């Protein structure tokens, strides 16, 4: 067997394996999409059969009765604020820890890396927010979500910045630029690919986050999109056709964002993974 034949066979085997693994995601996704157009009896079967009758009115019902409009606004506010804060503060912190090699910056960097592996403790976090009078507020939820996303963002951005030549910094200082001006006018434009990656991943996390709003919001008027599923899912009765329609509407905005930015996500992740 020639080397070319072995290469073709191994490539085909890998493609087949990836196709089989992808079914783990594709099958539940199809069940959800098809179920959103079925009647309650058919939807609760969780199968891939086409609906006997397509119920497009499931979506109009969910929008009218599920509080989707208010939840969309809540999710949008949280997502935008968390994403902007994480990108700006994360890029500034990543620039400092990448350019300064001191005990303090190394300690800060390692502290953020520790935040990537330490799970959130709900009880202690609730206690901190309560002491700050932030329980049940948008600010409290946004602070927690931003804190959970910052470690990964700083780790990724710092890996990219380490590959940016320091000569650019020196040239900017010689021309009289302040550190802030140098960063925002020279360094930050070079970070567009990795910033696009951080934008998409942070926005996806903030939009899809379920646990934090559930624990720290004490009013349904502040619910985000993922929490609206509770309007159709209960302990004693579940309208799975409405649940599926709600989930589709919840996933749609962030899916569109990802599809529009996916080429930047791939290139940014590749660039951020290389350390200088």
């Amino acid at each position: 067997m020639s080397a070319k034949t072995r290469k073709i066979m191994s490539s085909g085997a890998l493609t087949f394996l990836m196709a089989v693994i992808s079914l783990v995601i594709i099958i539940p996704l199809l069940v959800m999409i098809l179920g959103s157009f079925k009647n309650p009896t058919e939807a609760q079967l969780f199968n891939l059969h086409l609906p006997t009758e397509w119920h497009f009115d499931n979506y109009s019902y969910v929008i009218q009765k599920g509080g989707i409009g208010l939840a969309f606004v809540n999710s949008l506010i949280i997502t935008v604020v968390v994403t902007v804060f994480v990108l700006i503060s994360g890029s500034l912190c990543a620039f400092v820890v990448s350019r300064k090699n001191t005990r303090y910056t190394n300690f800060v960097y390692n502290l953020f890396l520790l935040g990537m592996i330490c799970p959130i403790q709900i009880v202690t976090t609730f206690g901190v927010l309560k002491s700050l009078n932030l329980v049940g507020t948008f600010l409290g939820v946004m602070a927690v979500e931003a804190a959970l996303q910052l470690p990964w963002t700083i780790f990724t951005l710092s890996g990219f910045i380490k590959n940016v030549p320091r000569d650019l910094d020196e040239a900017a200082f010689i021309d009289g630029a302040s550190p802030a001006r140098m960063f925002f006018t020279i360094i930050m434009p070079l970070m567009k690919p990795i910033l696009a990656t951080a934008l998409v991943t942070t926005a996806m996390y903030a939009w899809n986050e379920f646990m934090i709003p559930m624990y720290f919001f004490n009013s349904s008027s502040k619910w985000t999109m993922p929490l609206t599923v509770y309007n159709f899912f209960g302990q004693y009765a579940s309208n799975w056709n409405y649940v599926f329609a709600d989930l589709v509407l919840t996933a749609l905005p962030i899916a569109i964002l990802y599809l529009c930015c996916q080429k930047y996500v791939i290139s940014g992740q590749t660039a951020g993974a290389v350390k200088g």
Side-chain angles (χ1 to χ4, degrees), residues 19 52 69 100 135 137 159 177 202 207 216 228 232 253 265-266 272 275:
T52 55
K100 289 189 176 182
V135 175
T137 65
T202 303
W207 183 273
F216 298 114
T228 56
F232 313 104
V265 173
I266 301 300
K275 292 186 179 181

Side-chain angles (χ1 to χ4, degrees), residues 152 192-202 264-269:
W152 181 89
K192 286 182 180 179
I194 194 65
L195 284 176
T197 302
L199 183 149
V200 173
T201 54
T202 303
Y264 301 108
V265 173
I266 301 300
S267 62
Q269 285 181 337

Side-chain angles (χ1 to χ4, degrees), residues 72-84 137-139 141-142 145 206-207 209 213 217 222-224:
F72 177 84
V73 174
N74 294 340
S75 289
L76 185 63
I77 293 173
I78 293 175
T79 301
V80 170
V81 173
V82 170
T83 302
V84 171
T137 65
F138 283 100
L139 181 59
V141 170
M142 290 186 291
E145 292 189 6
W207 183 273
E209 177 59 35
F217 277 149
K222 299 177 182 178
W223 276 5
T224 56

Side-chain angles (χ1 to χ4, degrees), residues 137-230:
T137 65
F138 283 100
L139 181 59
V141 170
M142 290 186 291
V144 175
E145 292 189 6
L148 292 174
Q149 277 297 102
L150 270 175
W152 181 89
T153 303
I154 293 173
F155 172 75
T156 307
L157 296 183
S158 61
F160 182 90
I161 295 174
K162 287 177 182 178
N163 294 286
V164 177
R166 291 178 178 266
D167 296 342
L168 296 176
D169 304 7
E170 297 172 359
F173 286 135
I174 292 175
D175 291 339
S178 63
R181 181 181 178 185
M182 181 268 296
F183 175 77
F184 285 107
T185 59
I186 298 178
I187 303 299
M188 206 166 189
L190 298 176
M191 298 170 59
K192 286 182 180 179
I194 194 65
L195 284 176
T197 302
L199 183 149
V200 173
T201 54
T202 303
M204 288 178 62
Y205 166 81
W207 183 273
N208 294 324
E209 177 59 35
F210 182 86
M211 183 179 66
I212 302 302
M214 181 180 66
Y215 284 141
F216 298 114
F217 277 149
N218 50 18
S219 172
S220 60
S221 62
K222 299 177 182 178
W223 276 5
T224 56
M225 289 285 286
L227 290 179
T228 56
V229 71
Y230 279 122

Side-chain angles (χ1 to χ4, degrees), residues 78-99:
I78 293 175
T79 301
V80 170
V81 173
V82 170
T83 302
V84 171
F85 177 82
V86 168
L87 290 183
I88 295 178
S89 60
S91 59
L92 288 172
C93 183
F95 178 71
V96 173
V97 299
S98 299
R99 286 297 194 251

